[in-house]
Amino acid sequence: MTSERECFVYVVLPGATSFVTAGRFRVSTGPTGDSAGAFVYGRRYRERPDAVELDPVELRLSSRVHETARLGGFFGAIRDAMPDAWGRLVIDRRAGVTESDEFDYLLQGPDDRAGALGFGVRVEPPAPVGQLARASDLDRLRRAAEAVVAGRPARAGPSGRLVEELLFPGTSLGGARPKAVVEEDGILWIAKFPRRNDRWNHPRVEHGMLALARAAGLRTADSRRETVAGRDVLLVRRFDRDGAEDGWRRHRMVSALTLLRAGDGVGDRREWSYLALADEIRRCSANPRADLRELFGRMCFNAAVSNLDDHPRNHAIVAVGHRWRLSPAYDLTPSPVISRERRDLAMTCGRLGRHAARDNLLSGRGRFLLRDDEAAGIFDRIVSTVRSHWLPAMSGAGVDATDRAAIRGAFVYDGLGARCA
């Protein structure tokens, strides 16, 4: 038995604040259960002088039908705009089901997705989302997030709306950590809430990690910490949105997972590679030399802070206007593992695989368009900065002595400068 589902794909063009219809997406499932996807740009869209590609890899602007049999028929750019673990949980709780179909997740996600895409069953795109939650709603949102995790219904707010309705716009953002989108003074922020089983104060530690990365000379998303009703919340500024008088300018964004044409399952990890990502950025970036230097620095930083969760969903390119560039760094987390002799990153970082050691990190320098001395200088500067500034950065972010002790092992890594066997 075969089945077929389809929808229209909308995009907010550079400088605009409302959606236009870009094309049509279809997923067909055959009698064996295998699925294939097809996408075609609409003729009227292609004839627009301001038409842009949805991504620089699989969905280049053309008249042909784009097809894929990977990822259950979902193109990478479309997958990037779909809800991840947290969003799916909120959608299922809201719908009163245990698990939805992939296409349902695509359509049921709110239009405030990462990037500039939207999806719907009508050829005319919907109006942009209305009222967003405010920073003053943070405590209600935090409690609603806890209720969703625990399987309890969220309570109604002063206006009579369920707090879950305010939480819902954040469901299309990636990751498993509870979060919501809030607006304040014409800026959109991702509010990341703590979880009861956290080993340390995650909002404070992540805030400190972003500050440490900036001290090491890297570009990061802006962040700030709020304490509401005695609980900390991290606010990270969205770099895929800018406020305008008539709404929000939305910037196209695709993950490194899409650039690498990779999946996110265990069997796909052999395709996760900083070296291959450097090749893709070299092809699509408007300033490849600067972006590759930045990417190499982030790879060294992740090794120095034991950020072993540096998977391809935590890297992206963004088009603020028409030009694709490496996005600011985000989702930086220390992993104080027991071993002090060897640590492996989530992605291949050199000729000897994922081993986070100096020789291995420097071995692929040519893929980043770096000379030997340039790569060594970046590595040494970042490692030195991390070792001398991690404690002040965490103290400045409000991380207490107990939590500093808990994460100390992430920054004290004896094998970082060791020669690879």
Side-chain angles (χ1 to χ4, degrees):
M1 187 172 183
T2 62
S3 65
E4 185 174 283
R5 298 189 69 177
E6 66 177 26
C7 68
F8 292 96
V9 180
Y10 320 120
V11 64
V12 176
L13 294 169
T17 58
S18 57
F19 286 111
V20 298
T21 302
R24 188 192 298 260
F25 172 58
R26 181 181 67 250
V27 173
S28 303
T29 303
T32 62
D34 295 326
S35 297
F39 173 82
V40 60
Y41 285 102
R43 178 180 57 81
R44 292 177 61 186
Y45 179 77
R46 287 187 284 107
E47 291 174 349
R48 294 182 63 112
D50 56 351
V52 294
E53 62 194 9
L54 300 191
D55 81 58
V57 180
E58 297 178 297
L59 300 178
R60 294 288 190 91
L61 189 59
S62 74
S63 60
R64 75 180 184 90
V65 178
H66 298 271
E67 297 179 305
T68 184
R70 298 172 54 254
L71 306 174
F74 286 80
F75 294 92
I78 291 176
R79 173 191 55 188
D80 289 339
M82 293 175 66
D84 211 336
W86 166 248
R88 293 172 182 231
L89 177 61
V90 176
I91 289 171
D92 290 342
R93 290 276 192 269
R94 194 170 184 254
V97 299
T98 303
E99 185 176 3
S100 300
D101 177 82
E102 284 296 299
F103 216 92
D104 289 330
Y105 285 128
L106 176 68
L107 293 177
Q108 292 177 22
D111 84 331
D112 194 42
R113 306 166 186 267
L117 301 187
F119 308 91
V121 296
R122 297 182 179 179
V123 65
E124 291 300 321
V129 69
Q131 181 182 357
L132 290 169
R134 310 286 296 183
S136 57
D137 296 311
L138 281 174
D139 187 46
R140 284 188 290 143
L141 291 170
R142 179 189 60 77
R143 287 186 278 110
E146 290 180 353
V148 168
V149 171
R152 304 190 308 270
R155 297 181 180 180
S159 65
R161 288 191 301 167
L162 285 175
V163 179
E164 194 172 271
E165 295 296 322
L166 296 176
L167 193 69
F168 186 61
T171 59
S172 284
L173 301 171
R177 181 163 291 275
K179 61 182 66 67
V181 175
V182 298
E183 176 188 359
E184 186 177 58
D185 298 328
I187 297 173
L188 288 186
W189 301 84
I190 301 170
K192 303 177 76 170
F193 303 110
R195 293 185 296 207
R196 293 191 179 275
N197 61 345
D198 284 339
R199 295 170 57 192
W200 51 74
N201 188 313
H202 272 261
R204 296 191 182 199
V205 169
E206 186 173 346
H207 186 45
M209 290 286 285
L210 291 166
L212 181 60
R214 288 191 292 273
L218 303 177
R219 293 188 300 111
T220 76
D222 294 334
S223 66
R224 74 177 209 261
R225 177 176 57 85
E226 294 283 342
T227 302
V228 182
R231 302 293 296 277
D232 290 310
V233 179
L234 178 68
L235 297 181
V236 180
R237 182 171 180 170
R238 291 188 64 166
F239 50 77
D240 64 336
R241 294 288 189 275
D242 283 317
E245 290 184 3
D246 58 343
W248 299 98
R249 288 188 288 268
R250 307 176 187 221
H251 310 310
R252 289 168 294 153
M253 185 173 75
V254 295
S255 70
L257 207 60
T258 292
L259 290 181
L260 294 172
R261 300 171 180 84
D264 52 9
V266 174
D268 300 302
R269 295 188 178 185
R270 63 183 179 276
E271 301 174 24
W272 297 1
S273 168
Y274 280 106
L275 307 184
L277 178 57
D279 294 342
E280 296 302 325
I281 288 177
R282 186 174 181 175
R283 294 186 182 99
C284 67
S285 170
N287 191 340
R289 190 167 293 276
D291 282 348
L292 290 176
R293 188 183 191 91
E294 173 76 14
L295 180 64
F296 181 80
R298 293 182 192 178
M299 182 177 72
C300 294
F301 179 83
N302 286 333
V305 301
S306 302
N307 178 18
L308 311 184
D309 192 39
D310 60 323
H311 56 76
R313 280 192 181 273
N314 283 342
H315 302 274
I317 58 171
V318 63
V320 180
H322 293 81
R323 294 151 53 94
W324 293 99
R325 294 293 307 275
L326 184 67
S327 78
Y330 57 95
D331 281 356
L332 302 178
T333 307
S335 300
V337 295
I338 295 174
S339 173
R340 294 183 58 173
E341 288 72 41
R342 180 183 175 115
R343 294 180 188 176
D344 289 343
L345 297 178
M347 298 168 61
T348 295
C349 54
R351 294 175 184 171
L352 298 178
R354 299 185 293 118
H355 189 188
R358 187 180 196 274
D359 284 359
N360 192 39
L361 291 162
L362 297 181
S363 69
R365 56 194 173 276
R367 305 278 282 274
F368 298 87
L369 303 181
L370 294 171
R371 301 189 310 268
D372 293 1
D373 60 325
E374 289 178 310
I378 292 171
F379 175 89
D380 292 341
R381 172 179 53 79
I382 287 177
V383 170
S384 175
T385 300
V386 167
R387 287 178 172 170
S388 62
H389 283 72
W390 80 266
L391 194 55
M394 293 301 154
S395 298
V399 180
D400 64 25
T402 300
D403 284 351
R404 293 197 301 269
I407 63 175
R408 181 179 181 275
F411 310 97
V412 184
Y413 169 32
D414 296 340
L416 185 61
R419 293 193 174 275
C420 300

